[in-house]
Amino acid sequence: MSNSYPWLDIERQSLNQALDEQRLGHAPLFLGSPGVGKRVLAEWLVRRIMCLEPFEGEPCGECHACSLMAGGAHPDLFRLELLEDKNEILVDQVRDFIASLSLTPSVGNRRVGMIVPADRLNRNAANALLKTLEEPSGEVWLALVTDNEDRLPVTVTSRCQRRYVAVPDPATAMAWLSERHADRDRRDCELALELADGAPLLADAWLSGAGLEIGLAIRDGLGAVLNGRADETALIAQWQETPAESWRWLARFSQLWLHGVLASPPAVLAEAPIPAAGQGAERVLEECWKQALEGGRLAGRPVRQDWLLQSWLSEWRKLAAGG
Ligand SMILES: [Zn+2]
């Protein structure tokens, strides 16, 4: 891992040292923006904890524990995740998880539980976990990962050790991205990184699939609405195909357009129409941002997405009227 994600090196070394000096808390909570590498770091820590013969601060990759981890079948690692078709981690899952963690380890003398995404523990599930977080037995660790610390109850966060994973400096992120996507224009990498707010793994995912192109298509659609040249029915139909993703883009573009109004247009909006400041555009964009977040929250629920998107678009259209 040492060179795969260079911006995680410092945090990795710090975890390693804490573990060696037996002062790594039993419940590290990995925090930070989506796509910054929290989960990668947590998975690395789990391999490091489980490895029977770590070498120079890294899991050796060769011992029995490392082979089991590589095969995804280490019997002393337990994962608490969302069940398919569920929006929350449920209390029964937590009970099973706690029971598993109390079994005698079968490989080394350590057991680890991973909770991802930790912010999806519902209230009962979080409560059921408190005692385990409070009084972990000897060689047991819990690693929690969240994009959204605010959604975790304080009763949980106060029992964890916060490990904030920061967005790397743009030069580091760009060097990493352009090496991975040598087939892409450097410009594409820059736009993806800007849209991802500097989070390299998010930009990477978009560049690996059609994500960047989908984002840019949504940008162009929004620009066309402002220029009065959009086929709005077609836009809604398109956005509705993947509502959760569309809402994320609409929220992100509301932010970027607001940045354009208040300061200067970001590179990704260099050719987009930007409303003038001081004519209410700021308020409309803030409202659009809030509505998009709310839309995203409702995306998995039985709600008419086309209505929500219509209503969002009529708010967005006010920018054209004002400009
Ligand atoms: Zn090993």
Side-chain angles (χ1 to χ4, degrees):
M1 156 139 177
S2 48
N3 296 316
S4 317
Y5 305 93
W7 68 95
L8 299 178
D9 282 359
I10 289 180
E11 186 61 14
R12 193 173 46 88
Q13 283 157 14
S14 143
L15 285 166
N16 191 48
Q17 204 175 357
L19 197 58
D20 277 348
E21 294 169 1
Q22 299 189 338
R23 53 176 180 76
L24 178 70
H26 276 265
L29 167 62
F30 293 90
L31 308 162
S33 317
V36 82
K38 303 178 295 293
R39 185 170 186 143
V40 167
L41 193 62
E43 297 276 0
W44 175 86
L45 176 65
V46 173
R47 292 201 303 280
R48 170 68 182 79
I49 288 175
M50 290 300 203
C51 176
L52 302 171
E53 295 175 56
F55 179 69
E56 293 184 347
E58 292 287 330
C60 73
E62 288 166 12
C63 69
H64 184 42
C66 282
S67 332
L68 289 167
M69 284 298 296
H74 197 299
D76 304 323
L77 169 63
F78 305 96
R79 294 177 184 274
L80 186 54
E81 296 169 331
L82 286 174
L83 295 174
E84 216 176 308
D85 81 3
K86 289 281 187 290
N87 253 330
E88 296 182 320
I89 296 175
L90 309 172
V91 66
D92 285 345
Q93 288 178 263
V94 173
R95 293 205 181 102
D96 290 347
F97 176 76
I98 293 172
S100 304
L101 282 170
S102 67
L103 299 171
T104 307
S106 43
V107 178
N109 58 348
R110 296 173 163 178
R111 283 151 296 160
V112 182
M114 263 193 95
I115 309 178
V116 189
D119 48 273
R120 297 298 181 86
L121 290 161
N122 71 20
R123 181 194 298 259
N124 289 338
N127 285 339
L129 195 64
L130 294 183
K131 192 156 172 288
T132 306
L133 283 173
E134 183 109 300
E135 312 160 358
S137 39
E139 296 285 299
V140 172
W141 279 270
L142 292 178
L144 295 85
V145 179
T146 180
D147 287 343
N148 199 341
E149 187 189 6
D150 296 342
R151 282 180 53 173
L152 269 169
V154 174
T155 47
V156 170
T157 52
S158 64
R159 287 166 170 83
C160 295
Q161 302 81 47
R162 302 162 85 259
R163 290 268 170 182
Y164 183 72
V165 184
V167 168
D169 68 87
T172 304
M174 265 306 291
W176 181 80
L177 267 186
S178 45
E179 194 184 325
R180 283 176 62 83
H181 297 279
D183 55 324
R184 288 270 202 167
D185 274 6
R186 191 180 165 80
R187 174 83 180 155
D188 285 353
C189 296
E190 284 167 355
L191 292 183
L193 194 61
E194 182 174 73
L195 285 168
D197 213 0
L201 297 181
L202 191 53
D204 177 51
W206 289 338
L207 289 163
S208 303
L212 177 64
E213 285 68 27
I214 291 171
L216 295 180
I218 289 185
R219 172 199 66 182
D220 295 343
L222 293 174
V225 173
L226 298 189
N227 286 330
R229 288 202 300 264
D231 177 348
E232 297 190 3
T233 315
L235 278 184
I236 301 274
Q238 201 174 20
W239 296 350
Q240 210 184 325
E241 283 175 25
T242 51
E245 252 181 63
S246 300
W247 285 122
R248 269 197 292 274
W249 284 115
L250 296 177
R252 183 65 183 132
F253 281 119
S254 302
Q255 282 180 325
L256 287 166
W257 244 280
L258 182 60
H259 190 273
V261 169
L262 294 176
S264 58
V268 71
L269 298 184
E271 284 154 33
I274 305 286
Q279 295 174 32
E282 296 89 338
R283 193 197 50 73
V284 173
L285 284 164
E286 255 176 61
E287 183 57 30
C288 285
W289 177 68
K290 281 187 207 155
Q291 280 190 24
L293 293 184
E294 177 64 9
R297 210 175 58 74
L298 296 172
R301 312 264 171 96
V303 179
R304 287 283 298 267
Q305 288 293 323
D306 53 340
W307 291 359
L308 290 179
L309 287 164
Q310 289 279 6
S311 140
W312 188 89
L313 196 54
S314 59
E315 189 67 29
W316 181 263
R317 211 182 295 117
K318 291 180 189 166
L319 294 171

